[in-house]
Amino acid sequence: MLKTSLALAIGLSSSLAVAATSLTVEDIPKIQSVLQTSISPDGDTVAFTRSVPRELYVAENGSNYSELYVVDDKGVERPFITGSVSIKSIQWSNDSKTIYFLAKLKDDKFTALYQIPVDGGQAQKVLSLKDTSISSYQLSPNNKQLAILAMPAADKSEKELKKLGFMAEVYELGLKDKQLFIVDLAKADLPLTPQALNVANYVSDVNWAAQGDKLLVKTQPTALIDDKYTKSQWHLFDIATNQVTMSFATEGKLDGAELSHDGRYIAILGAEDKHDPATGRLFLADTKTGEVTDWLPDFMGHIVDFEWSNKRNTLNFIANVGTQSFVASIKTGSNKYKKLIKEGQFIASNLSIADSDNKISLTDLLK
């Protein structure tokens, strides 16, 4: 059974420092909120990023800052990286001693991968790519490799043409595909130029199998937004052969997917059909047969986020029904779920499970 004490403690994440009377127009740009939470593998600490608006009438126009904080299971919060920064994609090392994240710090021209020790110390750059930003990444289960998504670096000829005044951008033409790379997780002083894996089309998301031998890869035909909404598809990619070995047929909008601990099943967040305006249906795919089934066919709600347990084929998920949220778990082979945290305690948007499977962190949108 998952413990819920830590889940409720992380609810301090979003805040608004205003009087308890009414919300004014000028209060709205001051609202702070949590963007991402990630519980440490040992379950003792939660790292999270907080969206902090720029100071009204003082700061120059721009997007919100994203700061890094850490909170323990007693609710004690510590700021790690704050100020004029944009921290994203936080992930823990296996030993719970290091937090990895993406950012452009100091003189960075492109987004790079950084790490910071939990027990104290400055953030250090781990690696970067030559002439392009790291869009997203996933640590391998043994923390020895990285799966990286990035756009191709601009061709030298393009740079030269821009210097000569050829800067026209034709709408929906000249689009490039985002690519998938695997690199060793080792500190690199110089930007890397790795070889892209053999995955056709635009790669939009990736997840490791627990054994580290396969990847879940989501693709779409092009970078066009219509392709993202209507033609995205998840595939199983074998690293040893550098080939897609299985594709999973779904219809309509498509969100995240994750392999079970033994690699047998894949939980997929998708849409009921091509007319469904949002992802919120939970599907279960079998990696032996390729069959995809609606896991909760009669569920009158909206699945928000999920994560597999680390030691058994049980999926933990957040669901919204009406204006309420609850957290539940469901086992493969069954269409019945068990509520772990009932409605009325929060409106949750993000879920993270400790390696021991006995602690969970949530982002509460109402706190």
Side-chain angles (χ1 to χ4, degrees):
M1 174 72 71
L2 290 168
K3 297 181 180 177
T4 61
S5 57
L6 184 57
L8 301 180
I10 195 60
L12 54 87
S13 53
S14 303
S15 63
L16 175 60
V18 296
T21 53
S22 60
L23 187 68
T24 68
V25 172
E26 290 193 349
D27 290 329
I28 295 175
K30 300 176 184 177
I31 296 175
Q32 298 183 7
S33 61
V34 161
L35 301 174
Q36 180 191 0
T37 63
S38 181
I39 192 169
S40 59
D42 61 15
D44 293 337
T45 313
V46 173
F48 67 94
T49 53
R50 174 175 286 154
S51 175
V52 180
R54 297 177 183 235
E55 188 175 355
L56 198 61
Y57 304 122
V58 176
E60 293 184 359
N61 184 43
S63 58
N64 288 5
Y65 297 120
S66 177
E67 302 178 336
L68 177 62
Y69 290 81
V70 168
V71 61
D72 62 24
D73 56 1
K74 297 179 178 60
V76 179
E77 181 181 308
R78 288 186 292 158
F80 263 54
I81 304 176
T82 61
S84 304
V85 295
S86 181
I87 308 298
K88 62 180 181 179
S89 301
I90 52 175
Q91 294 184 40
W92 286 91
S93 61
N94 284 343
D95 58 9
S96 301
K97 295 181 178 180
T98 304
I99 300 172
Y100 292 91
F101 61 91
L102 296 179
K104 283 198 291 187
L105 302 180
K106 300 178 182 178
D107 299 324
D108 289 337
K109 292 183 179 180
F110 301 98
T111 301
L113 178 68
Y114 281 82
Q115 65 180 18
I116 186 169
V118 178
D119 294 335
Q122 296 295 317
Q124 296 181 334
K125 184 186 291 188
V126 180
L127 58 86
S128 61
L129 301 180
K130 187 175 181 180
D131 296 332
T132 190
S133 290
I134 299 175
S135 300
S136 62
Y137 73 99
Q138 286 289 332
L139 292 168
S140 65
N142 61 9
N143 281 188
K144 293 182 179 181
Q145 291 181 304
L146 289 169
I148 292 177
L149 296 184
M151 296 298 294
D155 189 87
K156 290 183 179 180
S157 62
E158 294 180 22
K159 296 179 182 179
E160 293 301 322
L161 287 173
K162 284 186 177 181
K163 291 179 181 179
L164 297 173
F166 293 89
M167 295 180 289
E169 294 184 13
V170 182
Y171 180 65
E172 293 189 349
L173 291 180
L175 300 176
K176 297 181 180 180
D177 289 336
K178 187 177 290 184
Q179 298 174 315
L180 172 61
F181 307 88
I182 293 181
V183 300
D184 291 335
L185 180 58
K187 195 174 187 305
D189 295 327
L190 296 176
L192 304 178
T193 55
Q195 182 70 33
L197 297 187
N198 183 32
V199 181
N201 301 328
Y202 183 101
V203 184
S204 59
D205 202 358
V206 64
N207 254 324
W208 288 89
Q211 294 76 21
D213 58 339
K214 293 180 175 61
L215 292 170
L216 266 180
V217 180
K218 186 166 79 166
T219 67
Q220 59 195 61
T222 71
L224 294 176
I225 191 66
D226 288 347
D227 282 348
K228 174 184 177 181
Y229 285 145
T230 63
K231 298 179 181 178
S232 290
Q233 188 174 22
W234 280 103
H235 314 272
L236 198 60
F237 182 88
D238 184 77
I239 296 175
T241 61
N242 194 26
Q243 296 290 333
V244 169
T245 58
M246 185 175 290
S247 299
F248 302 94
T250 54
E251 184 181 14
K253 296 178 176 64
L254 196 59
D255 205 329
E258 185 178 327
L259 279 154
S260 59
H261 80 101
D262 60 359
R264 172 66 190 273
Y265 300 102
I266 303 172
I268 301 174
L269 188 58
E272 184 171 0
D273 54 39
K274 63 182 180 181
H275 305 293
D276 197 339
T279 57
R281 305 302 301 174
L282 182 60
F283 295 91
L284 183 67
D286 191 321
T287 60
K288 287 190 174 181
T289 64
E291 182 183 6
V292 180
T293 58
D294 190 340
W295 204 346
L296 295 172
D298 300 320
F299 182 64
M300 301 299 290
H302 187 96
I303 306 299
V304 179
D305 194 19
F306 58 72
E307 187 170 322
W308 286 99
S309 295
N310 295 288
K311 300 177 181 179
R312 51 189 179 273
N313 285 342
T314 299
L315 189 76
N316 308 285
F317 64 89
I318 301 170
N320 290 341
V321 178
T323 60
Q324 300 291 325
S325 289
F326 66 84
V327 177
S329 65
I330 184 171
K331 297 180 180 179
T332 55
S334 173
N335 297 116
K336 296 182 179 180
Y337 58 85
K338 179 180 181 180
K339 290 184 180 180
L340 305 176
I341 308 175
K342 295 182 179 180
E343 299 91 338
Q345 300 189 51
F346 47 71
I347 302 296
S349 65
N350 181 266
L351 175 148
S352 182
I353 308 292
D355 280 0
S356 61
D357 287 339
N358 67 354
K359 287 186 179 180
I360 179 174
S361 73
L362 301 168
T363 302
D364 186 353
L365 298 181
L366 294 184
K367 289 284 187 172

